[in-house]
Amino acid sequence: MVLEATMICIDNSEWMRNGDYSPNRFQAQAEAVNIICGAKTQDNPENTVGILTMAGKGVRVLVTPTSDLGKIVACMHGLELGGEMNLAAGIQVAQLALKHRQNKKQHQRIIVFAGSPVKHDKKVLEMIGRKLKKNSVALDIVDFGEDEDAKPDKLEALVASVNNSDSSHIVHVPAGPNALSDVLISTPIFTGDGEGGSGFAAAAAAAAAGGVTGFDFGVDPNLDPELALALRVSMEEERARQEAAAKKAAEETARQEKGGEQQSSSQDATMTENTHAANTEADNKRNDLMDDENALLQQALAMSMDDPSSTTTVHDTEMSDAAVDDQYLRLALQLSVQDNTTESASQTDMSKLLTDQSFVSSILASLPGVDPNDPSVKDLLASMQNQSESQQKKDNDGDKPPPTEEEKK
């Protein structure tokens, strides 16, 4: 990496209002200056860049050589356009600013943007160039804008007088669709003195060309190690996540296939068991039916052949059933007879008690407030005695057997 102190001379003349470069000459020049300043400061932390203007009321230094990129970019805002470019004065002031640089070990370089006509003679420019060469100052010129016949020759003569070991360059940028910065990215003004240039310059050149920088993720680790590390870690995490997702999907597919095989085997086993159970049940029913048919057949044969044993068995069964029924009937009759006997006995006893005059008189005398000699009481007892006698007579008549035919005659 080359250690340099650079002064950039910008053209802020009236010709910078022209719109043949997008969006206009001055804006295209400012964009190119910003990119060059970034490349120079990124190439080496000790590099410094300064900026001056060559038109207007005179040459004016906007910022002396510094490594503060923000300060360099900020000085470009709010510049006034007008007047004519004074190329000779601008180069001389830039040389004076580089002479007073703080780090004397820095190489000196001047970059001139010439976008307007050059009024100086070729001999004057050659004399300035020889002076620069004597003081070991390199010169780069960007020729754009006004395309007059004498301008390219004057500028090339100036560069030729300064050039020492191919350290100075000139680039002619014609008007066209390409931006001024895009054209400069691939030139030695941007990439350096044939030493591969800075990482920033190489990355910008590759981005402008739409190609690959050769670094992982398109970032130079030497230029921005933290960004390169972050991108690498992010890529590894994404790769690990994708591998884990693919592995999980494969396991899920294998599990589903295994579950389908187990389910099919269980279904087959269930169907086999059901078929076997159905066959067994059918066989049992068939055997029971055959047994019933055999029993009926044997009974029919026995009845047709008048088998004594079978007839006796059936008769004994009927007799035993009849005997059981007779026992229950006999018991019911006995109970009914006992009820009737008891009832008749109780009625007979009551009749006997009512006919006993002394017993009834004693009962009535024992009752409080009852006079046995009362005529009403006597009448009641007499009526009750008559009823008892009539009832006893009916019972006696019922016990007698019915008269036979001879008795009736």
XYZ file of all heavy atoms in Angstrom, residues 178-219:
270
model
N -22.576 6.532 -19.846
C -21.856 6.065 -18.651
C -21.520 7.238 -17.739
O -21.155 8.329 -18.194
C -20.564 5.354 -19.046
C -20.844 4.066 -19.804
O -21.855 3.394 -19.573
N -19.955 3.723 -20.734
N -21.619 6.984 -16.433
C -21.267 8.014 -15.457
C -19.754 8.205 -15.430
O -18.979 7.292 -15.735
C -21.784 7.635 -14.082
N -19.325 9.412 -15.050
C -17.905 9.733 -15.007
C -17.173 8.847 -14.009
O -16.056 8.373 -14.277
C -17.723 11.212 -14.657
C -16.297 11.751 -14.593
C -15.610 11.621 -15.957
C -16.300 13.210 -14.139
N -17.782 8.562 -12.869
C -17.150 7.726 -11.854
C -17.012 6.275 -12.322
O -16.001 5.622 -12.013
C -17.971 7.780 -10.563
O -19.310 7.351 -10.793
N -17.990 5.792 -13.083
C -17.902 4.409 -13.566
C -16.745 4.228 -14.533
O -16.094 3.176 -14.536
C -19.224 4.004 -14.244
C -20.384 3.941 -13.263
O -20.116 3.869 -12.040
O -21.547 3.971 -13.710
N -16.473 5.237 -15.328
C -15.357 5.150 -16.280
C -14.026 5.218 -15.538
O -13.079 4.484 -15.850
C -15.461 6.268 -17.327
C -14.253 6.238 -18.253
C -16.752 6.127 -18.121
N -13.941 6.053 -14.510
C -12.669 6.226 -13.800
C -12.317 5.022 -12.936
O -11.129 4.834 -12.615
C -12.724 7.483 -12.938
C -12.811 8.819 -13.675
C -12.898 9.964 -12.688
C -11.604 9.003 -14.595
N -13.299 4.217 -12.541
C -13.038 3.108 -11.634
C -12.046 2.112 -12.223
O -11.213 1.544 -11.499
C -14.373 2.407 -11.261
C -15.121 3.243 -10.223
C -14.139 1.013 -10.714
C -16.504 2.726 -9.898
N -12.089 1.924 -13.514
C -11.204 0.939 -14.157
C -9.912 1.543 -14.677
O -9.163 0.864 -15.395
C -11.957 0.259 -15.315
O -12.392 1.217 -16.264
N -9.609 2.783 -14.344
C -8.399 3.453 -14.844
C -7.329 3.498 -13.764
O -7.621 3.338 -12.563
C -8.730 4.885 -15.286
O -9.202 5.624 -14.145
C -9.811 4.887 -16.364
N -6.068 3.723 -14.139
C -4.988 3.809 -13.139
C -5.163 4.947 -12.147
O -4.592 4.906 -11.052
C -3.733 4.026 -13.990
C -4.075 3.459 -15.327
C -5.531 3.720 -15.511
N -5.944 5.956 -12.494
C -6.179 7.050 -11.550
C -6.883 6.528 -10.297
O -6.620 7.017 -9.182
C -7.014 8.152 -12.221
C -6.216 8.780 -13.373
C -7.414 9.229 -11.219
C -7.001 9.825 -14.144
N -7.693 5.545 -10.492
C -8.462 4.998 -9.384
C -7.782 3.782 -8.763
O -7.798 3.607 -7.544
C -9.857 4.607 -9.889
C -10.857 4.399 -8.787
C -11.485 5.464 -8.164
C -11.168 3.128 -8.350
C -12.396 5.268 -7.157
C -12.089 2.924 -7.342
C -12.704 3.998 -6.732
N -7.191 2.929 -9.579
C -6.624 1.670 -9.079
C -5.199 1.805 -8.574
O -4.706 0.921 -7.876
C -6.653 0.607 -10.187
O -5.932 1.078 -11.326
C -8.091 0.310 -10.599
N -4.466 2.853 -8.931
C -3.111 3.007 -8.417
C -2.070 2.837 -9.501
O -2.369 2.716 -10.691
N -0.759 2.795 -9.083
C 0.372 2.759 -10.000
C 0.759 1.335 -10.346
O 1.902 0.913 -10.129
C 1.584 3.493 -9.398
C 1.307 4.983 -9.254
O 0.484 5.503 -10.037
O 1.901 5.594 -8.350
N -0.148 0.537 -10.841
C 0.189 -0.817 -11.270
C 0.519 -1.762 -10.153
O 1.116 -2.805 -10.370
N 0.167 -1.431 -8.902
C 0.457 -2.277 -7.763
C -0.794 -3.024 -7.276
O -0.856 -3.487 -6.166
C 1.023 -1.433 -6.618
C 2.322 -0.735 -6.989
C 2.822 0.114 -5.850
O 2.167 0.125 -4.791
O 3.862 0.768 -6.007
N -1.783 -3.125 -8.154
C -3.020 -3.805 -7.777
C -4.024 -2.872 -7.169
O -5.201 -3.178 -7.061
N -3.586 -1.668 -6.784
C -4.500 -0.702 -6.227
C -5.010 -1.122 -4.862
O -4.588 -2.093 -4.258
N -5.932 -0.361 -4.336
C -6.492 -0.614 -3.017
C -7.611 -1.631 -3.096
O -8.178 -1.886 -4.152
C -7.023 0.696 -2.420
O -8.107 1.169 -3.200
N -7.926 -2.222 -1.952
C -9.056 -3.155 -1.912
C -10.354 -2.459 -2.231
O -11.234 -3.005 -2.897
N -10.508 -1.225 -1.757
C -11.708 -0.455 -2.062
C -11.822 -0.225 -3.561
O -12.907 -0.357 -4.145
C -11.649 0.873 -1.317
C -12.865 1.731 -1.485
C -13.931 1.621 -0.620
C -12.936 2.658 -2.521
C -15.061 2.420 -0.775
C -14.048 3.449 -2.677
C -15.110 3.336 -1.806
N -10.719 0.095 -4.195
C -10.739 0.329 -5.632
C -11.071 -0.942 -6.389
O -11.841 -0.933 -7.346
C -9.383 0.883 -6.088
N -10.483 -2.068 -5.960
C -10.755 -3.332 -6.645
C -12.214 -3.736 -6.494
O -12.861 -4.189 -7.444
C -9.843 -4.416 -6.084
N -12.759 -3.566 -5.278
C -14.165 -3.919 -5.049
C -15.079 -3.018 -5.861
O -16.061 -3.477 -6.466
C -14.502 -3.813 -3.567
N -14.800 -1.727 -5.875
C -15.626 -0.807 -6.641
C -15.533 -1.092 -8.127
O -16.529 -1.030 -8.854
C -15.210 0.630 -6.349
N -14.344 -1.416 -8.617
C -14.182 -1.724 -10.026
C -14.954 -2.975 -10.409
O -15.613 -3.044 -11.447
C -12.697 -1.897 -10.363
N -14.870 -4.001 -9.554
C -15.610 -5.235 -9.836
C -17.114 -4.997 -9.793
O -17.880 -5.535 -10.595
C -15.229 -6.317 -8.834
N -17.571 -4.167 -8.835
C -19.007 -3.877 -8.753
C -19.482 -3.116 -9.975
O -20.573 -3.364 -10.503
C -19.307 -3.077 -7.486
N -18.666 -2.191 -10.450
C -19.045 -1.428 -11.635
C -19.080 -2.311 -12.864
O -19.910 -2.150 -13.756
C -18.069 -0.262 -11.850
N -18.151 -3.255 -12.940
C -18.112 -4.162 -14.095
C -19.151 -5.258 -13.997
O -19.357 -6.015 -14.941
C -16.712 -4.775 -14.226
N -19.825 -5.394 -12.841
C -20.835 -6.438 -12.661
C -20.230 -7.801 -12.487
O -20.889 -8.823 -12.672
N -18.948 -7.865 -12.137
C -18.279 -9.151 -11.997
C -18.142 -9.543 -10.553
O -18.706 -8.947 -9.642
N -17.338 -10.617 -10.316
C -17.103 -11.149 -8.985
C -15.758 -10.663 -8.495
O -14.786 -10.622 -9.254
C -17.144 -12.690 -9.003
C -16.929 -13.241 -7.603
C -18.467 -13.160 -9.587
N -15.649 -10.277 -7.268
C -14.419 -9.710 -6.735
C -13.394 -10.771 -6.398
O -12.233 -10.467 -6.195
C -14.725 -8.917 -5.454
O -15.305 -9.798 -4.497
C -15.700 -7.801 -5.753
N -13.787 -12.021 -6.293
C -12.869 -13.076 -5.908
C -12.886 -13.357 -4.424
O -12.283 -14.323 -3.969
N -13.567 -12.517 -3.635
C -13.679 -12.723 -2.199
C -15.037 -13.346 -1.877
O -15.998 -13.209 -2.641
C -13.523 -11.403 -1.446
C -12.212 -10.719 -1.691
C -12.148 -9.585 -2.490
C -11.032 -11.221 -1.161
C -10.943 -8.958 -2.724
C -9.829 -10.599 -1.387
C -9.774 -9.464 -2.179
N -15.102 -14.014 -0.735
C -16.372 -14.577 -0.288
C -17.368 -13.454 -0.034
O -17.050 -12.455 0.620
C -16.179 -15.390 0.997
C -15.338 -16.630 0.740
O -15.286 -17.052 -0.436
O -14.738 -17.160 1.701
N -18.576 -13.652 -0.561
C -19.681 -12.707 -0.406
C -19.368 -11.343 -1.009
O -20.056 -10.373 -0.741
C -20.048 -12.526 1.077
C -20.038 -13.800 1.871
C -19.067 -14.030 2.827
C -20.984 -14.779 1.627
C -19.057 -15.213 3.551
C -20.971 -15.955 2.350
C -20.005 -16.173 3.306
N -18.342 -11.253 -1.841
C -18.019 -10.001 -2.515
C -17.416 -8.942 -1.623
O -17.431 -7.766 -1.964
N -16.863 -9.345 -0.465
C -16.283 -8.384 0.480
C -14.836 -8.784 0.767
O -14.548 -9.956 1.057
C -17.096 -8.344 1.801
C -16.449 -7.398 2.798
C -18.524 -7.923 1.516
